[in-house]
């Protein structure tokens, strides 16, 4: 063997030895440093709504909380528990006058203060996961590793420190319930799941199968379910007569199927039942969940080891029902993470699941930035400490979707669903290690999973930020949305005139609406000069458009003359069925250049289309 080869092999062994070192203090330091950085820099807008509503309680409006918030045009959409816990936490903000009434327009200080609460609960959940792992038989050393793996799971870290979700409050209560379930303290098991139910109803999908797996006495099952509902019913009773509560809490103000509480009905199959023009479908989620509950009732653990392994197997199956067979929002997946990770540490091959977690984060990020553009991507800079620098305009130069959205959305969702099924099916007790305390040798992959998983989001987000800080080149720009222009029939068109500020047009972006339907048809964009000469044309098949979707037309340097006027025309070229797309517009009677206005139905309008022309 050559000396050069020996040195290379020695370096490889050295790197592997460092990567596989046991959990070190530096791992915790790295976690804390990255968490603080993301905590300060990113925040999605959902927290602003929920934390902002809580100030209604701090103004003394308890019985009329929902209606009082409605007078400020901010409508609470959860049961009271979320708002009560944020109200208590936000007392300092109210006392010092930082925020004095219900509002989504929170200053950065109030945003960071509100975000701190769920982040602290997230860290506390790591301690709780450690104790659950101890009960699962992992021993102290492996339990610490399991807790660290949960905290650094990329999807969970993203949901907590980047997105800034608050589902962790419900998740923490569920973990407490599972902790007492393993200790066989049924009253506390029911109590904590009852509290979790007042935050989000999805806790029921874990409670029911776990209850049925251990309890076979029908009357005790009924009594447990009654106790579970007591806190929920009490909260409901207090606000049952509130119009805002009735309209927004049960369905987020929408119809039952299109709202988050009705997502379980979105995927199903048609069996032939129909009434008039409406046909009934069987929900895959309801069918699978009912079958899971029946399986739990008719099965009994063979011993304590089998009981623990089966408990987490059941939870993973329940999460496949919840997220694999129905629609979900990005932050919701945090709920499943502790159970996915604990079951991975009970498995014979923990390492493979650390690798899968990294792949999951990659596909998850690609899917999210396409599913909800300008919301769960670079747009989260808008609510962090860089807010004053980006002024809400981050993404006008470059979006994460432009950088990393290289896979079809349906393919991404299919891969994620397949991986959730793998996370469930292959956690069956027969795949679990005989000794749950046996050491796992995957620290290298755990570290790669954490650093790499966070980088998958943070690096392209900062590329977008750097692009924004370049010299601005948005020539025509309107972003103050007021209403929509409807395009419903073949030939319907709306146009926007703009003045060129550069020598070429790079791209045009606009925001489209779909009016809660799938629009099968085509819209064509035509760019013309003042002599009606066509400079550019592009057709879009609109069935894939989503509500509030930012649509981009890449003109790739169409020549223009600075100071000359050009027109962008949007026209329906094919419309099938109940077609209705829309282009967002400003309010009427805009000021500024009177030539830069829209035209619809052959008439000049006083508004402008929400559109950005990059020159």
């Amino acid at each position: 063997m050559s000396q050069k080869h020996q040195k290379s092999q020695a370096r490889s062994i050295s790197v592997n030895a460092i990567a596989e070192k046991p959990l070190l203090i530096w791992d915790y330091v790295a976690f804390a440093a990255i968490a603080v950085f993301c905590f300060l820099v990113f925040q999605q807008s959902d927290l602003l709504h929920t934390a902002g509503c809580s100030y209604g309680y701090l103004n003394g409006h308890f019985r009329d909380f929902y209606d009082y918030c409605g007078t400020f045009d901010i409508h609470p959409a959860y049961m009271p528990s979320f708002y009560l816990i944020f109200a208590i936490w936000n007392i300092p903000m109210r006392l010092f006058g930082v925020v004095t009434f219900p509002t989504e327009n929170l200053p950065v200080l109030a945003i960071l203060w509100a975000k701190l609460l769920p982040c602290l609960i997230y860290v506390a959940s790591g301690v709780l996961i450690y104790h659950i792992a101890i009960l699962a038989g992992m021993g102290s050393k492996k339990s610490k590793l399991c807790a660290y793996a949960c905290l650094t799971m990329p999807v969970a870290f993203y949901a907590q420190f980047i997105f800034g979700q608050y589902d962790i409050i419900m998740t923490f209560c569920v973990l407490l319930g599972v902790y007492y379930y393993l200790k066989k303290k049924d009253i506390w098991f029911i109590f904590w799941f009852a509290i979790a139910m007042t935050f989000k109803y999805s806790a029921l999908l874990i409670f029911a199968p776990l209850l049925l797996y251990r309890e076979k006495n029908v009357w005790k099952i009924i009594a447990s379910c009654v106790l579970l509902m007591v806190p929920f019913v009490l909260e409901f009773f207090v606000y049952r007569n509130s119009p805002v509560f009735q309209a927004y809490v049960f369905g987020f103000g929408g119809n039952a199927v299109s709202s988050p509480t009705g997502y379980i009905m979105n995927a199903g199959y048609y069996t032939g039942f129909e009434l008039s023009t409406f046909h009934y479908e069987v929900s895959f989620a309801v069918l699978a969940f009912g079958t899971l509950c029946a399986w739990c009732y008719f099965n009994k653990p063979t011993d304590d080891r089998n009981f623990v392994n089966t408990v987490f197997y059941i939870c993973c199956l329940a999460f496949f029902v919840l997220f694999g067979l129905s629609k979900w929002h990005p932050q919701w997946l945090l709920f499943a993470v502790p159970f996915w990770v604990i079951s991975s540490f009970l498995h014979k091959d923990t390492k493979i699941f650390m690798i899968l977690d990294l792949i999951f984060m990659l596909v998850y990020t690609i899917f999210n930035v396409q599913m909800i553009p300008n919301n769960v991507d670079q747009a989260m800079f808008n609510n962090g400490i860089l807010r004053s620098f980006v002024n809400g305009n981050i993404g006008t130069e470059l979006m994460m979707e432009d950088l990393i959205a290289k896979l079809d959305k349906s393919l991404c969702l299919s891969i994620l669903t397949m991986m959730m099924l793998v996370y469930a099916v292959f956690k069956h007790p027969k795949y679990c290690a005989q000794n749950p305390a046996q050491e796992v040798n995957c620290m290298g992959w755990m570290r790669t999973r954490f650093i790499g998983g966070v980088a998958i989001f943070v690096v392209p987000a900062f590329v977008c930020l750097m692009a924004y800080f370049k010299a601005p080149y948005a020539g025509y720009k309107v972003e103050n949305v007021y209403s929509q222009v409807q395009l419903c029939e073949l030939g319907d068109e709306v146009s926007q005139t703009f003045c060129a500020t550069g020598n070429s047009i790079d791209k045009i972006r606009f925001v489209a609406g779909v009016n809660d339907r799938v629009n099968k048809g085509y819209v064509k964009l035509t760019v013309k000069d003042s002599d009606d000469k066509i400079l550019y044309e592009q057709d879009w098949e609109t069935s894939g458009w989503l509500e509030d979707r930012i649509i981009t037309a890449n003109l790739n340097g169409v020549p223009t003359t600075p100071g000359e006027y050009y027109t962008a025309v949007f026209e329906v070229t094919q419309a099938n069925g109940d077609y209705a797309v829309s282009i967002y517009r400003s309010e009427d009677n805009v000021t500024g250049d009177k030539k830069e206005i829209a035209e619809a139905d052959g008439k000049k309008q006083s508004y402008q289309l929400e559109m950005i022309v990059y020159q």
Side-chain angles (χ1 to χ4, degrees):
M1 185 183 295
S2 69
Q3 187 177 9
K4 182 177 180 181
H5 181 72
Q6 286 178 331
K7 288 182 178 179
S8 174
Q9 188 178 43
R11 281 195 298 269
S12 176
I13 293 172
S14 176
V15 169
N16 288 336
I18 293 172
E20 292 296 341
K21 275 189 175 182
L23 197 59
L24 303 170
I25 186 65
W26 294 110
D27 290 303
Y28 292 104
V29 171
F31 168 78
I34 297 171
V36 169
F37 174 78
C38 293
F39 171 86
L40 294 172
V41 172
F42 300 104
Q43 178 57 49
Q44 198 266 352
S45 58
D46 283 5
L47 178 69
L48 280 66
H49 182 279
T50 301
C53 286
S54 70
Y55 289 94
Y57 279 127
L58 296 180
N59 283 353
H61 292 268
F62 182 80
R63 289 298 302 273
D64 64 338
F65 167 72
Y66 288 87
D67 299 317
Y68 173 71
C69 288
T71 63
F72 293 90
D73 199 27
I74 180 171
H75 302 97
Y78 297 111
M79 294 294 283
S81 295
F82 268 128
Y83 306 109
L84 285 168
I85 196 169
F86 272 111
I88 295 169
W89 180 256
N90 284 329
I91 287 174
M93 295 293 104
R94 183 64 181 87
L95 287 177
F96 289 105
V98 178
V99 182
T100 58
F101 58 90
T103 178
E104 290 181 322
N105 298 317
L106 299 178
V108 172
L109 176 61
I111 295 172
L112 293 177
W113 177 255
K115 185 177 182 179
L116 182 60
L117 173 62
C119 287
L120 291 175
I121 295 175
Y122 181 84
V123 174
S125 73
V127 178
L128 184 52
I129 288 165
Y130 166 80
H131 288 287
I132 291 173
I134 290 288
L135 290 176
M138 292 186 197
S140 179
K141 183 179 178 180
K142 188 175 179 180
S143 295
K144 289 178 182 177
L145 199 59
C146 180
Y148 181 80
C150 283
L151 293 177
T152 56
M153 165 76 154
V155 168
F157 189 91
Y158 162 85
Q160 191 56 71
F161 294 102
I162 295 175
F163 189 105
Q165 57 74 53
Y166 38 84
D167 294 66
I168 189 61
I169 302 173
M170 180 268 292
T171 303
F172 187 79
C173 293
V174 167
L175 288 172
L176 278 168
V178 171
Y179 173 76
Y180 284 108
Y181 180 82
L182 295 176
K183 288 178 73 72
K184 299 183 179 179
K185 295 186 177 181
D186 291 344
I187 292 299
W188 287 107
F189 159 63
I190 296 168
F191 172 81
W192 284 111
F193 268 94
I195 299 300
M197 274 283 292
T198 65
F199 290 107
K200 286 198 171 182
Y201 320 137
S202 49
L204 179 63
L205 274 72
I206 302 299
F207 175 83
L210 290 185
L211 174 66
L212 292 170
Y213 182 55
R214 186 156 71 194
E215 185 55 68
K216 310 304 179 183
N217 184 302
V218 174
W219 291 111
K220 288 184 178 180
I221 292 171
I222 294 172
S224 298
C225 292
V226 170
L227 290 174
L228 176 79
M229 295 304 298
V230 168
F232 183 89
V233 171
L234 289 175
E235 288 192 352
F236 172 81
F237 182 80
V238 173
Y239 297 101
R240 69 192 186 284
N241 294 323
S242 165
V244 174
F245 179 81
Q246 295 171 7
Y248 285 86
V249 174
F250 295 106
F252 284 26
N255 64 67
V257 176
S258 65
S259 68
T261 50
Y263 284 173
I264 59 170
M265 303 301 296
N266 287 157
Y269 65 94
Y270 177 51
T271 61
F273 284 95
E274 60 182 56
L275 179 64
S276 184
T277 59
F278 184 82
H279 68 266
Y280 299 90
E281 292 187 344
V282 174
S283 164
F284 287 135
V286 173
L287 183 65
F289 181 67
T291 304
L292 174 61
C293 288
W295 184 90
C296 291
Y297 179 79
F298 290 113
N299 277 272
K300 294 181 180 180
T302 56
D303 52 44
D304 287 345
R305 179 77 266 132
N306 175 261
F307 171 74
V308 171
N309 292 340
T310 304
V311 163
F312 289 100
Y313 172 60
I314 289 169
C315 291
C316 290
L317 288 173
F319 283 117
F320 175 74
V321 172
L322 182 60
F323 300 130
L325 298 179
S326 58
K327 185 178 176 181
W328 44 267
H329 292 184
Q331 72 277 20
W332 292 359
L333 297 193
L334 177 137
F335 184 22
V337 166
F339 300 90
W340 285 342
V341 175
I342 293 172
S343 57
S344 295
F345 272 72
L346 291 172
H347 199 275
K348 295 175 184 177
D349 187 1
T350 302
K351 181 189 292 185
I352 190 62
F353 289 101
M354 300 298 103
I355 299 170
L356 289 176
D357 288 348
L358 184 59
I359 298 172
F360 192 98
M361 180 63 182
L362 175 63
V363 181
Y364 170 84
T365 303
I366 294 172
F367 178 68
N368 287 343
V369 300
Q370 296 181 83
M371 181 177 70
I372 318 178
N374 240 23
N375 186 300
V376 299
D377 45 21
Q378 76 291 326
M380 289 189 283
F381 281 116
N382 290 327
N383 296 312
I385 59 173
L386 299 178
R387 172 191 272 188
S388 61
F389 295 97
V390 299
N391 297 313
N393 295 321
I394 183 72
T396 55
E397 304 293 326
L398 183 68
M399 296 173 63
M400 287 180 65
E401 182 182 15
D402 302 326
L403 285 173
I404 64 173
K406 305 305 180 184
L407 289 178
D408 177 76
K409 294 186 292 294
S410 294
L411 176 61
C412 288
L413 182 59
S414 299
I415 293 172
L416 292 174
T417 303
M418 175 269 294
M419 294 185 73
M420 290 182 204
L421 185 59
V422 169
Y423 282 167
V425 171
F426 294 99
K427 300 296 181 63
H428 188 279
K430 73 178 183 180
Y431 298 109
C432 293
Q434 290 185 348
N435 177 16
Q438 74 177 33
E439 290 190 13
V440 293
N441 298 312
C442 59
M443 276 307 304
W445 275 109
M446 279 183 60
R447 291 174 176 127
T448 302
R449 159 186 179 262
F450 174 46
I451 302 299
V454 175
I456 285 170
F457 178 88
V458 170
V459 170
F462 269 88
V463 170
C464 293
L465 182 65
M466 293 302 102
Y468 171 76
F469 283 133
K470 292 191 311 180
Y473 66 102
Y476 169 84
K477 179 177 173 182
V478 174
E479 293 184 302
N480 297 317
V481 182
Y482 174 75
S483 185
Q484 301 173 342
V485 181
Q486 300 293 331
L487 302 175
C488 302
E489 298 178 355
L490 180 66
D492 281 1
E493 69 175 45
V494 61
S495 63
Q496 174 64 54
T497 299
F498 59 92
C499 182
T501 60
N503 295 315
S504 64
I505 301 175
D506 181 31
K507 56 188 172 185
I508 293 176
R509 275 196 168 128
F510 60 96
V511 180
V514 297
N515 297 287
D516 293 322
R517 68 196 72 190
V518 175
N519 292 291
K520 295 181 179 180
Y522 286 83
V523 167
K524 180 169 72 173
L525 167 65
T526 304
V527 179
K528 304 178 181 179
D529 63 13
S530 56
D531 295 324
D532 282 341
K533 178 183 177 181
I534 296 176
L535 306 178
Y536 175 83
E537 288 183 315
Q538 179 173 344
D539 283 283
W540 284 281
E541 201 283 310
T542 56
S543 64
W545 283 11
L546 303 175
E547 198 67 59
D548 302 334
R549 173 80 172 183
I550 295 177
I551 310 297
T552 302
N554 292 306
L555 279 70
N556 298 318
V558 170
T560 57
T561 302
E564 292 292 321
Y565 288 88
Y566 297 84
T567 302
V569 182
F570 300 91
E571 179 187 4
V572 177
T573 56
Q574 182 178 327
N576 300 317
D578 188 18
Y579 190 85
V581 298
S582 54
I583 308 296
Y584 283 66
R585 70 173 180 88
S586 71
E587 60 185 352
D588 295 326
N589 302 313
V590 296
T591 58
D593 190 338
K594 293 300 181 181
K595 291 185 179 180
E596 288 191 329
I597 57 173
E599 181 176 319
D601 300 324
K603 299 178 182 178
K604 296 288 186 182
Q605 307 296 319
S606 63
Y607 56 78
Q608 297 172 321
L609 299 184
E610 185 193 9
M611 193 173 78
I612 304 177
V613 179
Y614 297 90
Q615 300 177 55

